[in-house]
Amino acid sequence: MKIQILNMRQTRLLTALAALLLMPLALKATEVASPNGNVVLKFQIDNDGRPTYELSYKGKPVVLPSHLGLELARDKHASMKDDERDLLDGFKLVDEQTTEQDETWKPVWGETSTIRNHYREYAATIEQQWKTAHHPDRPGVKGMYYEDHSRTIILRFRVYDDGMGLRYEFPQQKDLNYFLIEEERTEFRMAGDHMAWWLPGDYDTQEQETQQTRLSQIRTTMEQAVNWGNSSVAVFSPTGVQTALQMKTDDGLYINLHEAACADYATMHLELVDAETKAFTTQLRGHTNAYTPNPKPARARLPQPFTFVSHLTPDATGLKGAMQTPCHTPWRTVIVSDDARDMLASNLILNLNEPCALDDVSWIHPTKYCGVWWEMIVGRGSWHYTNDYPSIKLDQIDWAKVKPNGYHKANNENVMRYIDFAAKNGLDQVLVEGWNVGWEDWANMWKRDVFDFVTPYPDFDIKALNDYAHAKGVKLLMHHETSSSTQNYERHMEQAFTLMNKYGYDAVKTGYVGDIIPRGDHHYSQSMNNHYLYVVKQAAKHHIMVNAHEATRPTGLCRTYPNLVGNESARGTEYEAFGGSRPDHTCILPFTRLQGGPMDYTPGIFVTKLSEWSQNPSWARITIAGSLALYLTMYSPLQMAADLPENYEKFDDAFQFIRDVACDWDESIYLEAEPADYITVARKAKGTDNWFIGGKCDEQGHTAVVKLDFLDKGRKYECTIYQDAPDAHYDTNPQAYVITKKVVKAGQTLRLKEAPGGGFAISLMAK
Amino acid sequence: MKIQILNMRQTRLLTALAALLLMPLALKATEVASPNGNVVLKFQIDNDGRPTYELSYKGKPVVLPSHLGLELARDKHASMKDDERDLLDGFKLVDEQTTEQDETWKPVWGETSTIRNHYREYAATIEQQWKTAHHPDRPGVKGMYYEDHSRTIILRFRVYDDGMGLRYEFPQQKDLNYFLIEEERTEFRMAGDHMAWWLPGDYDTQEQETQQTRLSQIRTTMEQAVNWGNSSVAVFSPTGVQTALQMKTDDGLYINLHEAACADYATMHLELVDAETKAFTTQLRGHTNAYTPNPKPARARLPQPFTFVSHLTPDATGLKGAMQTPCHTPWRTVIVSDDARDMLASNLILNLNEPCALDDVSWIHPTKYCGVWWEMIVGRGSWHYTNDYPSIKLDQIDWAKVKPNGYHKANNENVMRYIDFAAKNGLDQVLVEGWNVGWEDWANMWKRDVFDFVTPYPDFDIKALNDYAHAKGVKLLMHHETSSSTQNYERHMEQAFTLMNKYGYDAVKTGYVGDIIPRGDHHYSQSMNNHYLYVVKQAAKHHIMVNAHEATRPTGLCRTYPNLVGNESARGTEYEAFGGSRPDHTCILPFTRLQGGPMDYTPGIFVTKLSEWSQNPSWARITIAGSLALYLTMYSPLQMAADLPENYEKFDDAFQFIRDVACDWDESIYLEAEPADYITVARKAKGTDNWFIGGKCDEQGHTAVVKLDFLDKGRKYECTIYQDAPDAHYDTNPQAYVITKKVVKAGQTLRLKEAPGGGFAISLMAK
C-alpha cells in the first residue's frame, strides 16, 4: 500500500479529485450471445456501482436485471482487515474480455461417450477503490494522511446455447487476501410468477417430496413441505428453496437454477423475495441442537419480488465461508430452453467443472449391484447384532461374547445368498450394510466414536465372504456409515481404505445420517463440502469409488473426480419403506437432483406392497414396468437391483431386463419430457450397437410415441418390450406387465401405453 | 421401563405412595476422615435432595457445605429423552461404601522415584425417581398410565491427608444413557475472603500474569487481568477464574482447587459468586469470531457469596459436554495444608489419575534441549522463509524458486551451530521451529490447510541435519505448529509421525496458536481435550513424546500417558520477549500451573536485557542465578536451555550448572515455600547420590536457610553454589553472580542470600 503524507490543502484537493475518480464510467451494457444466438447475456455496472446482469432466451426474459455481490463478515483479528467493506457496490468496470471456446471431451463414464463444451466467455474485471484517513501521532507530521485501497474481482460468465454459468473470481491482492463471507448475494430475478418444482431450503436434509407451486405459493406451502421427520433438519426461511430448482414460465420456457463445481465452498440455497418479504431472514427451525443464528441486518438491499437470492449454508458460528485469494466461487448456473428435453440433455454443469484430475482412471467402472439393505430398511432384519445393551462403546465390548439378536442380516449365510444371486444374474457387486460393529446405537446421540469401519460383527467373515464372492466373479461393496461424525471417519479412513484394498473392495457407500459432529456444523457447509471431497480424493489414492449418501447435492464434480460415482442427496427408494413417495417423484428428479450428477436411487422394487413380505405397511407407488424404466430415466453409472432376490425370482422374466440393461452409454437421446409428468429416453450401451429405451410417467399415465429413427439404418434389432398390462396401476395392479418380443428396424414407431405410476423398458439388441 | 396401566383410584393411591417414597430419608451426614485424620469430609443429601459436602482440615473449615450437581441440556432428538431432568436435586441416598487404599507406584519420570497413594474412599450412590404421566389414546384404556423412572449416579470421594478428590460417575442405565451437559454445578464454598492467586477464566488462553487479590477483589481486578492481546481470547464472566487456583486463608491454610484426569470432558473454570452476583452469566468477550452464546437462565440456584461454581468450556453451540454412560467426570480436587510446602509436594492429582496405559515405556526419557527458537521469538530472525507473497497456499508454491528473505533461522548452517552447541554441552536434543513450509501466513486467518508437517523449507535439509546430529549423539526435536487447525493436523498426523520415525525424531513440540478450526470451538472444550489426548495416543504408537503448547492445562494425565512429557498452558518464557513477566511469576507457577503436570517453561535466559543483542526492548525480570534456580523449582522432565549459544558462551562458568543439572529425580524435598514469594527445593538426581538445590524468590529477595540433613550421613559432597552477587538485582545488575565451591556433609546449614528477582542453584556431587 502506498502511503501519502499530505497537508490540509492537498487533502481537500485530493478529496475533490477522488470524488471525480470514483464516479462510475459511462453506464454502457455489454451483450454476449451464445454460439447460436439463442441465449443473450447483458452486463453492466449500475449507478451505485453494483454489477448487474440479465439473461434472455430467444428474446424472452429469463433473468431480469439482477445484482451480483457478497456481504463480508467483519473479523476482529487485526490480520483480517481486508474485509472492512462488502463486495456489493462501489465498483467500476476496468477490463472486459470476450472469448469463445469449442472443445470436446470424453467422460470416464456417462450418458454419452463425448461431450461438447461450446460457449462464449465474458470476463468483467471490476474494481472498488477507497481511501482511509489516518491521523498520525508522529512528531513533525501535520494533518492527516491517506491510504489508497483498491480491490479487484473478476465476474466470469460462460454463455451456452442452453444457458449460462457465472462465478466470482478473487485474485490475490493486497486488499483482498483473507476474507469471511457473511452471505453471497447473487440475484436471479424471475420475469413472472413461474411454476416451480422445489424443495424446502434446509441446511441438513434434501430428502423431501418435491412441491409443485407457483413462486407466489412457496411461502404458504413451506410448512407442510418440510420433512420434519428427517434425522437432521434445519430450515432457515419460509421462502428458502434448494437447487437444482426447476421452473416453467407461462410462455413455455423451462428454467433451471443450480450450481457447478462447488468445492471448498458452502452449498447454495435460494431465498425467494416475494411480496411479503420485509428483509432477508434466517429463522432456523428444525430439531438440530446445532447453531442458533443471531439475525443480523443484511447490508444488501432487498431486490424486487420474484427474485431469488443466494443463501449459503453456514458453519457453527453462522459464517458462510472463509476464503483465501486467489480463489473463486462455484459457478451459478441457469439452464434454459423452450424444450423440456434440453433440460435433461444439458451438459452445462459438467462442462463448467474442471477436467479430470486423476491420472489413472482404469480402475473406475460403472457397476450394477444388489445388496443386503432393503430387508433392513423395510424392517425385517437389523443392521445391529445385539439388543443387549442400551448403548455401545466400541472399545468396551467383547463381540465374541455378545448375544446375537437373531435377525442381524449381514451374516455369512445371508450375504452368500446375495453373492450367489449376483453371480447368477451378472450383477457386479453386493453391498452389505451392517457388517461392522457399532450399529447398536449410532445416530443422533452426539456419539463421536461411533464406528471404527474395520471391525466386522462375529457373524460376518470378511475374508471368507470376499474370497467366496471373488471366486464367483463378484465383488463386495463396502459400506461406511459415518452417522455424520466426520472427525471420527477422518481418523479411521486410512485404515478403513487399507482394509478395503486388502480384501478387494473397490467401492464404498458412505452415509451421513443425523446431525454433524463437530456439533453445530451443517451437512452442506464449506467445511462439510471440503470433507466430502477429501474423502473422494483419499479414496482415489486407494483406487476406491465413492457413493456418498446424505452428502451435499452434487454439482458436477464427478467430471473432475470420476471415482465419485454416485450420491444420494435426495429422497431415494428408502422412502418407499417410510411411507412412500408420490408416483411423479421419479419424473421430477432428473430435472432437479440429477442435474449435478448421478443419484444412487436404488431402483428396482418389484414387490411394491411391502406387507406382502414384512410388517411394513408402506408401499411403492410404481408398477414393475415403471421400476424397470428407472434404469434408463434415472441415469447413473451405479445401478442397484434393490429388491430381495426372492422377490426377483418371482418375476424372473421381468428381471431379465435388469440383467440385460447397461449402465454406461455411448449415446443418450431424450425423446419426451415434461417435469413431473413423463420422461422417455433412448440410450446406446457403451461399446455396443444395442439400445435401451425407458419411459416413466406420473399418476396420470402416458402414452409414449417412440420413433426409432436413431437406430442404424438397415439394421435389425431384437426388441423386447416390458410394459404395463392394460389394467396395470401403481396401486391396484402394480405387478401386471406384458413382455413382447419382436424384430424392429430404424424408422419404425412404437406406441407404448404407460399405466398410472407406470412405464416401460425396451431392449434392442443389434442382430 | 415398566409401564403400569392404572385406573383413577389406583392412580391417586399411587401418587400418595410415591410422595412418601420420594421423601428423603433421615438427613444424616456421613463423615470420612483421611488416613491421618487431618482432612475430614462430610456428606449428606439436603432437604431438597441436593447432594452436599463439606471439608475441613485439622478442624478448620476448607469447603463450607456445598452442593453437587449438573444441569443437563434439552436435546430435541427423540433418542435423547434421558435428559429431561437435571441432575441437581430430588436425590436420595441409596448406598454408601467406605474403603481404604494404600499403594505405592513408580512413575516413568518424576520428582520422586515412588509415589504413595493412600486415601479413604467414600462412594455415595444417589438416586432420583420420578414418574411421567401419559394419557393413552387407546380404545378400552381408561385413565392415565404412569411410567416409572429412576436415575442413579455415584459420587465418589477420595480423602487424602493433603486434600480430596470427588467425581460424578454415571453408570449405564435405562434412564441415563446419552446426555448433554448444559453446565456442571460443582460448588466450592469458601469460608472467608481468602487471598487468591488467580488467572482470568478464558476459553482460549492461559497466558496471563497471575493476580494476587482477595476473593472480593476478583471482580474489580478482572478487566486489567485479561491478556487481551493474546492470539485467542474468550472471557466469560467478571468473576470467572482458572484452575489450579491457589488460595491462602487468614488463619494460615493453603487451599488449591483444580481437577485431575480431565479426558474427553471440558476443562473446568470456576465462577465466583460474590456479593454482586445476581445470576450465573456467560458474557463472552474477546476477539474470537467464535460462538456468541445465548444467555440462558441457569436452573441451579445461586449459592452463597464466596462460593466457586464450576464453569465448563463450551463447544461451538454453547454446550459443555456430550456424554455416554458408563462415564464419569474428571476429579475435582482440593489440596489443603497449613504448610505451603505441602502444596508443592502433593501427589494428589497424579494419584487420582489412572495408572500408565502404555505397555512399553522404554522409549520415554527426560530431555535437556536447546533450540532454534529464542532468536525468532525475540525478533532477530523469522520462522518464515520468504516475504514475497501476501499469502501462501501450500500446493501452489514451488519452494525451490521462492526468494528467501535472508533471515530465516531454521537454516542448515544455524541448525548445525545449535547441534554443535548441544553436543559440546551434553544437551540431548535441538528443537527447530520454522523448519516446515507454511509460516508465511499461519495464524488467525481461518486458514485450514496451513501446514503439512512434512515439507521442509529449501534451506533445511532434514536428512543431512538429522544425520549430522545423530553422529554427534544429539537428536533433533520436531515442531508441529497447528495454528489450531486441528482437522488439518489430524489429517496429516500419521504422515508427520511417520516422517519423524524415518529421520529419528522421538519428541514433538506441538502448538495451538490462534482460534480453533473448526470455527466456533474453544481451546479447552471437550472436543479439543479429546484432540490433545488423541495426539498423545497416536504419538505413543510411534514412540513419540509430546510437548503440547497452548493446549489445555494439564490434570495429571501424564501418569497414564507418560509420553506427554510437557505442556506450556501458561505464560512461558516467550513473554519475556513480549514485555516481560513479573519477578514473582515463577514463584507462583509451581503452586498453580504445575499442579497438573510439568511445564515446558523454557528457562535459562542469561542475557535478560534483549536489547543487548536485538531490537527488542523487552527484558526478563530475573538474575542469572535465578535463571539457574528454575531448573529445580520448575520441575519438568523436559528442560530447555533457551538462550542463544553465544549468550551462554559469555557465562560459561554459570552454564556449567545447566550442563550438570539432572531432569529426572529419585527424591524431592521442598525446603521453603510461600506463594509468589519464594521456593526452595532439594532434589536427588535419578540413579545417583548427587543432589541439586534451587531457590527462587520474588522482587523482595530472600535468604534461604538450607539444612543439609537429607544428605547421606558421613558422606562428603563436592558442593558448587551459584548465587547472586551481593549487589545483584533483576533490573540493575542481573548478571552479577558468584560461584563458590566447597565440600559439605550432612547436617551442615547453608544460608543463601537471593537478590530481588534472583535465586541460587547448588550442585552436590557425592564423593
Side-chain angles (χ1 to χ4, degrees), chain A residues 73-77 79-80 172-174 177-178 180 230-232 264 286-292 294 315-317 319-327 389-393 396 441-449 486-487 490-492 494-495 514-515 518-521 526-527 530-531 534, chain B residues 73-77 79-80 172-174 177-178 180 230-232 264 286-292 294 315-317 319-327 389-393 396 441-449 486-487 490-492 494 514-515 518-521 526-527 530-531 534 541:
Chain A
R74 307 298 184 250
D75 189 284
K76 286 167 193 157
H77 283 300
S79 53
M80 304 277 290
Q172 193 176 56
Q173 54 199 294
K174 281 250 186 306
N177 194 6
Y178 288 94
L180 294 173
N230 190 272
S231 61
S232 187
D264 209 358
H287 53 69
T288 173
N289 249 307
Y291 174 59
T292 307
N294 302 302
D315 67 14
T317 71
L319 292 172
K320 306 296 181 91
M323 309 290 284
Q324 179 190 354
T325 61
C327 58
Y389 300 86
S391 76
I392 290 285
K393 292 188 177 181
Q396 291 176 12
D441 59 332
W442 58 284
N444 278 338
M445 318 298 198
W446 295 121
K447 182 179 182 179
R448 185 190 53 236
D449 304 329
T486 61
Q487 185 186 40
E490 292 196 9
R491 284 180 178 179
H492 290 90
E494 178 64 24
Q495 273 184 289
D515 291 335
R519 287 200 298 269
D521 206 349
Q526 180 186 27
S527 56
N530 175 274
H531 165 83
Y534 176 73
Chain B
R74 306 300 184 249
D75 189 284
K76 287 167 191 158
H77 286 298
S79 54
M80 303 276 290
Q172 193 176 56
Q173 54 198 296
K174 282 250 185 306
N177 194 7
Y178 288 93
L180 295 173
N230 190 273
S231 60
S232 187
D264 208 358
H287 53 71
T288 173
N289 248 308
Y291 172 62
T292 307
N294 302 302
D315 68 14
T317 71
L319 291 173
K320 305 296 180 91
M323 308 291 283
Q324 178 189 356
T325 59
C327 57
Y389 300 85
S391 76
I392 291 285
K393 291 187 178 183
Q396 291 175 13
D441 59 331
W442 59 282
N444 279 336
M445 317 298 197
W446 296 120
K447 182 179 182 178
R448 184 190 53 234
D449 303 328
T486 60
Q487 185 186 40
E490 291 196 9
R491 285 179 178 180
H492 291 90
E494 179 63 23
D515 291 337
R519 287 200 299 268
D521 206 348
Q526 181 186 27
S527 57
N530 175 273
H531 166 83
Y534 176 73
K541 292 181 190 166

Side-chain angles (χ1 to χ4, degrees), chain A residues 599-614:
Chain A
M599 177 172 178
D600 184 31
Y601 187 71
T602 70
I605 303 307
F606 277 16
V607 179
T608 53
K609 304 290 171 89
L610 305 181
S611 58
E612 285 187 29
W613 59 272
S614 78

